[in-house]
Amino acid sequence: MRSMHNQTTQLGFAILAATILTSPVFAQRMDKLWGDRTAQAGVGPSDRSALFRDGNYGMFIHWGLYSHLGGKWKGRTFYGIGEWIKRQMNIPDDEYKAVAKEFNPTQFNAREIVRVAKEAGMRWIIITAKHHDGFAMFKSKHPFNIVDATPFGRDPMKELADACREAGLGFGFYYSHNQDWTEPGGTRGPRKNPDGTPASFEQYFRRKCYQQVKEICTQYGPLSFVWFDTPGRIPKKFVEQLVKLVRETQPQAMLCSRVGYGLGDYQSKGDMEVPPRNIEGLWETCDTTNDSWSYAWYDQNWKDATEILHRLVATVARGGAYLLNVGPDGKGRIPTPAKQYLLEAGQWINRHPSVIYAAGPSPWGHALAWGDVTTQNDTLSLVVFDWPQDGRLLLPGLKTPIESARIVTAAGETPVEWERHGAWTVFRVPCAKPETPAAVIEIQTEETPQVDQTLGVYPNTDTTLLVEFAEVTGAEKKQLRWMEKFGEWKHITQVGQWQDGGKAVWTVNVAEPGDYMVELTYKGEGRMVWRIETDEGAMLQNQQNSATVYHTYPFGRLVFAKPGKHTLTVSLIEGDREQASLSAMCFHPME
Ligand code: FHN
């Protein structure tokens, strides 16, 4: 199982391909590309947002001419998100366009894709109608399209739209409105027309973008979404025209914030970003089943069912919707491992629909050590991935009286006893995990659940304290993101720029006194001495080496003498203060 905690640890072992990709400048550039990530307010409950708000889980599909290349050009592999192969491998326009003559996805089966999405528990599909390469996967007046330029000759978007409708799934299009690498005037496209005259963005917009958006909005029946991407520096007037067009032709369609200028209906987070704390309003995280969005022959870094569910549940618990991508290959088939893990996850969702659909966010505001919590009115669903071995599931901070508690499995419901110990509720559970990948305990509270959100330190489960939740003085708390190949973004909150006396302070609620092995996750340069102190006077100081990637280092044993609220302070005593970047502290209860 690859929990998100483990993933963070694993980041430490990854090799950074190019330091430029980690630079803040590059990350800022992505901010520009993803655009103003605010969204329009005022979408009410009975309107077009209903599917998005209640469905919480959709399928994203990146499929295009690049899928035929599958990450390989003239015998060389591009190790990055596959749909960028044209640009990253500098494939000349005429050679790229000629690929269309070989693109014949005869195994494409819209009904099969819809079956997978439906059985996976997804409530809508959004597919790339045109990506940055400029190739239209639908019948268009522009000749560079799948119906007119390939031997395939079918309109797969029509087939998929119909299949979704038939199966009762929402359907939407991704459209790259700003970048078009093969159309004169498109961003990053040719600067000149074939006759040598200069090409303008306005020209690209009028002749291709606007016309094609009209086509996708009028040829495929009602759409639930129009998902524009990478607005970059597109002038506002063009975005306004697209928004007007979508509103007029597809009044039920939701627009994501990547249309630009805050004109979307909901916020789209950064690629592959599951936020650590709850976010208000309508928002989505788009993620992918492996590293690439589109099919790449070498990419076997699949998320298994556990990881898919972990990320889905975490997103829903933070208040968002999860849009999970698959990249069908050049023949039109979803890769088998993606299918298998999605369907496995779907079986679990099918057993626990109320954990996902129309579920509210966790009153804790963040993940808990063993998993996460979603809600339906006064019912809390505790989704337990890391099942405690000692028959006690500990829940910190629930202030509202509990009416009933039960373990819910496919076989039925088993009542659970509980006791209150200070701010903690201890549920008496079987030592064996009742269900995999996650067990669900449903708690009915007597009234709307009220919670003290203080982070818990658990006596029977490892606890990771992210710096996201620390008060920081004399150092800088900042979100970092980077990619290790190209386009597969990693996100972390870290504390850097340590001044003398700088510190990160967590307030925690310790369930039981005891001994804990403490680890720190950080990166930097050379040896570093860190100090960890508690408000009880316990202190741990130790030296460890560092690396240019995040790595988790053991620091030693720390003792809590009394249960209850404590503060934990981490400071850098010696080491390169500029380079030191702390991301988390972890507590392992000692036997
Ligand atoms: O550049 C694209 C990328 O290829 C992919 O489509 C993702 C999906 O969110 N959007 C852009 C980068 O953010």
Side-chain angles (χ1 to χ4, degrees):
M1 184 192 112
R2 290 197 300 170
S3 70
M4 286 202 287
H5 160 63
N6 286 345
Q7 247 191 323
T8 311
T9 311
Q10 281 164 12
L11 291 178
F13 300 102
I15 296 165
L16 290 183
T19 41
I20 191 167
L21 301 181
T22 69
S23 77
V25 178
F26 201 89
Q28 276 163 19
R29 211 182 300 153
M30 283 317 291
D31 271 342
K32 283 203 186 109
L33 275 179
W34 286 327
D36 172 353
R37 282 182 274 156
T38 55
Q40 266 180 2
V43 184
S46 63
D47 55 28
R48 60 182 181 272
S49 71
L51 172 68
F52 183 83
R53 270 185 306 105
D54 295 346
N56 278 337
Y57 190 26
M59 177 182 269
F60 208 10
I61 304 181
H62 277 64
W63 191 48
L65 206 47
Y66 40 77
S67 311
H68 177 71
L69 300 178
K72 204 179 223 176
W73 178 248
K74 294 191 174 167
R76 281 174 54 225
T77 293
F78 163 55
Y79 295 98
I81 49 176
E83 66 281 5
W84 276 71
I85 191 167
K86 179 190 183 305
R87 189 170 167 81
Q88 296 307 106
M89 291 197 106
N90 293 316
I91 303 177
D93 286 2
D94 52 345
E95 291 187 41
Y96 189 75
K97 284 182 176 169
V99 173
K101 295 197 196 96
E102 298 160 16
F103 184 36
N104 195 9
T106 47
Q107 307 288 305
F108 174 78
N109 179 341
R111 285 211 173 104
E112 169 62 5
I113 291 177
V114 167
R115 179 192 74 84
V116 173
K118 207 163 176 179
E119 285 184 23
M122 293 156 153
R123 292 284 167 97
W124 63 84
I125 291 181
I126 299 176
I127 186 164
T128 45
K130 184 203 81 166
H131 206 270
H132 311 330
D133 66 341
F135 183 71
M137 291 293 285
F138 58 97
K139 170 71 183 155
S140 171
K141 288 213 175 85
H142 191 289
F144 193 37
N145 75 75
I146 189 164
V147 181
D148 297 319
T150 75
F152 187 56
R154 281 159 48 190
D155 184 341
M157 300 298 110
K158 174 93 180 56
E159 294 173 23
L160 195 63
D162 290 348
C164 279
R165 209 159 300 125
E166 217 175 80
L169 288 190
F171 179 71
F173 284 121
Y174 170 112
Y175 189 89
S176 172
H177 57 327
N178 179 33
Q179 297 193 63
D180 192 312
W181 304 332
T182 48
E183 185 67 14
T187 293
R188 294 176 164 167
R191 299 273 162 87
K192 290 197 170 147
N193 291 303
D195 65 5
T197 55
S200 67
F201 185 83
E202 171 124 30
Q203 168 199 316
Y204 149 75
F205 185 80
R206 294 264 149 269
R207 289 193 199 155
K208 184 172 183 185
C209 176
Y210 189 86
Q211 299 307 329
Q212 287 198 328
V213 173
K214 197 180 210 170
E215 287 170 342
I216 58 173
C217 285
T218 53
Q219 291 175 181
Y220 300 91
L223 301 178
S224 307
F225 297 89
V226 183
W227 212 96
F228 294 104
D229 197 9
T230 65
R233 294 204 191 94
I234 186 171
K236 189 173 185 187
K237 62 177 180 180
F238 297 126
V239 172
E240 284 170 341
Q241 287 175 51
L242 292 177
V243 170
K244 185 161 177 280
L245 175 60
V246 173
R247 296 289 187 231
E248 280 170 8
T249 53
Q250 293 288 344
Q252 287 307 307
M254 291 280 280
L255 282 164
C256 96
S257 58
R258 295 190 191 190
V259 68
Y261 296 99
L263 293 176
D265 296 306
Y266 64 94
Q267 190 197 145
S268 173
K269 299 298 293 172
D271 290 351
M272 304 151 185
E273 179 181 6
V274 178
R277 54 169 90 230
N278 288 15
I279 298 175
E280 297 278 319
L282 294 176
W283 61 272
E284 155 208 273
T285 279
C286 60
D287 201 2
T288 186
T289 39
N290 49 352
D291 281 337
S292 176
W293 298 99
S294 75
Y295 174 73
W297 73 266
Y298 64 87
D299 186 355
Q300 299 300 321
N301 192 21
W302 302 107
K303 292 175 180 67
D304 63 13
T306 307
E307 194 173 0
I308 289 172
L309 287 171
H310 213 151
R311 292 174 76 83
L312 166 64
V313 171
T315 304
V316 175
R318 302 289 75 74
Y322 191 57
L323 182 64
L324 182 57
N325 179 80
V326 294
D329 66 11
K331 285 288 164 207
R333 299 164 297 204
I334 298 178
T336 306
K339 209 190 254 193
Q340 179 195 325
Y341 298 132
L342 285 174
L343 292 176
E344 258 179 55
Q347 285 169 10
W348 184 91
I349 296 168
N350 196 28
R351 296 197 293 274
H352 301 288
S354 63
V355 170
I356 305 297
Y357 307 124
S362 167
W364 279 262
H366 50 77
L368 301 178
W370 35 253
D372 228 315
V373 180
T374 67
T375 54
Q376 300 275 354
N377 303 315
D378 295 350
T379 304
L380 300 165
S381 291
L382 315 189
V383 185
V384 187
F385 287 91
D386 295 326
W387 189 256
Q389 312 273 295
D390 65 353
R392 300 179 307 151
L393 185 92
L394 277 88
L395 181 68
L398 178 63
K399 297 197 250 179
T400 317
I402 295 174
E403 208 171 87
S404 61
R406 64 199 80 84
I407 295 173
V408 181
T409 64
E413 298 182 355
T414 317
V416 169
E417 302 282 316
W418 68 90
E419 292 151 21
R420 297 277 196 168
H421 293 287
W424 291 78
T425 310
V426 181
F427 296 94
R428 294 276 158 205
V429 293
C431 292
K433 192 173 181 179
E435 189 183 355
T436 56
V440 175
I441 302 180
E442 240 178 52
I443 297 172
Q444 187 70 43
T445 52
E446 284 179 10
E447 49 207 57
T448 308
Q450 300 294 318
V451 164
D452 173 349
Q453 296 187 336
T454 307
L455 301 171
V457 174
Y458 299 66
N460 58 351
T461 313
D462 293 349
T463 306
T464 299
L465 302 173
L466 301 174
V467 292
E468 169 74 31
F469 300 100
E471 292 292 326
V472 174
T473 49
E476 216 179 283
K477 193 199 298 193
K478 212 162 70 185
Q479 272 196 300
L480 282 191
R481 56 171 167 268
W482 70 94
M483 38 193 181
E484 291 170 9
K485 290 187 289 263
F486 180 85
E488 26 63 74
W489 288 96
K490 323 281 182 214
H491 304 259
I492 211 165
T493 305
Q494 58 85 56
V495 176
Q497 304 295 323
W498 292 80
Q499 298 161 22
D500 202 7
K503 54 189 177 188
V505 182
W506 285 264
T507 302
V508 294
N509 191 349
V510 177
E512 288 173 8
D515 303 358
Y516 295 83
M517 181 55 67
V518 181
E519 296 172 340
L520 289 184
T521 303
Y522 62 89
K523 68 172 184 169
E525 227 174 82
R527 294 190 196 286
M528 293 183 180
V529 177
W530 296 91
R531 180 180 295 163
I532 302 164
E533 292 162 281
T534 72
D535 57 352
E536 292 178 312
M539 200 258 271
L540 197 57
Q541 185 166 314
N542 206 346
Q543 186 189 59
Q544 293 287 1
N545 213 337
S546 63
T548 51
V549 292
Y550 289 96
H551 182 78
T552 300
Y553 299 88
F555 265 74
R557 186 190 73 136
L558 196 72
V559 178
F560 286 111
K562 290 200 182 122
K565 287 213 177 157
H566 291 287
T567 56
L568 278 162
T569 305
V570 175
S571 45
L572 181 66
I573 304 301
E574 282 170 32
D576 187 328
R577 296 186 172 279
E578 295 243 321
Q579 297 300 319
S581 164
L582 177 71
S583 76
M585 170 159 51
C586 188
F587 284 78
H588 303 281
M590 294 174 84
E591 294 291 311

